[in-house]
Amino acid sequence: MLFNDPIFLFLFLPIVVLLFHLIRRTVGGEASMILIVVASIFFYGWWNPPYLMLLLGSVLFNYAITYHLLKKPSKLLLTFGVLANIAVLGYFKYRNFFMENIGLLLGESWQFEEILIPLAISFFTFQQVALLVDAQDGHIKRVKFLDFATFVIFFPQLIAGPIVLYREMGKQLQLLRKDRGACLSLFGLGVVTFILGLFKKVALADGIAPFADSVFSVADQLTMLEAWGGVVAYTLQLDFDFSGYSDMAVGLGMMF
């Protein structure tokens, strides 16, 4: 489910935003955080339900490591936690690359089935690695599981970042859990920021993409001017795509 997907725009987002603020006003901040976690799990599972187990397993594993590091810092435990995270990331992203090259060195021709890379695995892996390091270094004093889970899988920044630090978000999560903080004061600004990002993504990035694609499809037949036009088009496409998604993520954060 992408931010510019009609299902997200006209069904998922309105329902979650409405329920979030309704539950926060009637039940409390902690209940609204539980809703965010459940909604984020549904959001991620919409893409590929089996990989939900990987995301949830990563959250549980890293929370357990964080919990012990906060009780008693340990470089050995930190190293284990970081290496375990990198190993999972490396398996999905680079297993075939390394195995095929090892086969070439041995004079063998090994073929492997293509691995479907889990959505956002780099983002939630590195975000949790940074949290482990902060716990070891004393930048974090205490983390409740609900705060941890919300921090890692909050759907506006789960699939496309940006990667954030818990020390930057922890206080906001604590205030939300205690039913304090910005409430609805940033909602209007969030809607405007989200619409701006949506415009960048749909109208600009997606609008420029066909021009860039057409140039790259005939790269060996271009004049210098046409080649430069393709380069500029692709540059603008990337810029509007990434900045648009970032604006949408920021806007969604403000809405909540």
Side-chain angles (χ1 to χ4, degrees):
M1 198 187 305
L2 301 175
F3 293 159
N4 56 320
D5 190 324
I7 295 177
F8 178 85
L9 290 173
F10 302 113
L11 191 62
F12 178 83
L13 181 60
I15 291 174
V16 174
V17 169
L18 179 63
L19 287 177
F20 173 82
H21 288 290
L22 182 63
I23 290 173
R24 184 175 180 180
R25 291 287 296 273
T26 57
V27 182
E30 194 163 291
S32 65
M33 289 178 72
I34 294 173
L35 171 72
I36 283 291
V37 172
V38 173
S40 297
I41 290 172
F42 177 84
F43 177 82
Y44 189 85
W46 182 270
W47 166 71
N48 193 327
Y51 276 151
L52 257 180
M53 299 306 297
L54 177 66
L55 175 63
L56 297 178
S58 176
V59 170
L60 292 172
F61 171 80
N62 282 286
Y63 179 74
I65 299 292
T66 301
Y67 178 82
H68 288 290
L69 288 175
L70 291 174
K71 289 183 66 176
K72 184 179 180 181
S74 166
K75 289 186 177 180
L76 182 61
L77 183 60
L78 173 65
T79 302
F80 169 71
V82 171
L83 289 178
N85 278 283
I86 299 301
V88 173
L89 178 63
Y91 173 80
F92 284 101
K93 284 208 163 188
Y94 304 112
R95 187 201 74 169
N96 287 4
F97 172 78
F98 283 119
M99 294 303 294
E100 287 170 4
N101 279 278
I102 291 172
L104 290 175
L105 289 174
L106 298 175
E108 301 287 342
S109 180
W110 295 341
Q111 297 295 328
F112 299 93
E113 291 185 5
E114 185 176 355
I115 296 177
L116 181 62
I117 299 176
L119 187 66
I121 187 171
S122 296
F123 291 111
F124 67 72
T125 296
F126 288 124
Q127 188 155 304
Q128 290 179 103
V129 166
L131 195 154
L132 295 180
V133 173
D134 278 351
Q136 169 70 17
D137 292 344
H139 295 300
I140 301 171
K141 302 301 181 184
R142 186 182 179 190
V143 181
K144 285 185 172 289
F145 179 73
L146 183 58
D147 295 358
F148 185 96
T150 305
F151 167 74
V152 175
I153 66 174
F154 185 41
F155 72 86
Q157 59 88 51
L158 173 61
I159 62 169
I163 295 173
V164 295
L165 299 175
Y166 186 83
R167 54 179 132 153
E168 298 171 344
M169 291 291 298
K171 188 174 181 180
Q172 295 181 51
L173 295 171
Q174 292 167 16
L175 289 173
L176 173 58
R177 184 161 37 79
K178 296 175 182 177
D179 203 20
R180 296 162 56 193
C183 297
L184 284 167
S185 62
L186 296 175
F187 185 84
L189 182 59
V191 172
V192 173
T193 304
F194 180 84
I195 293 173
L196 175 63
L198 185 63
F199 175 79
K200 284 182 180 179
K201 165 63 180 168
V202 176
L204 299 180
D206 292 352
I208 294 171
F211 297 98
D213 293 342
S214 64
V215 170
F216 281 98
S217 66
V218 290
D220 57 341
Q221 305 171 30
L222 302 176
T223 65
M224 185 176 72
L225 186 61
E226 290 170 337
W228 271 106
V231 169
V232 171
Y234 187 58
T235 301
L236 292 174
Q237 177 194 346
L238 283 179
D239 179 71
F240 288 130
D241 192 84
F242 279 100
S243 67
Y245 253 97
S246 295
D247 287 345
M248 284 190 278
V250 171
L252 288 168
M254 290 178 174
M255 289 184 205
F256 289 100

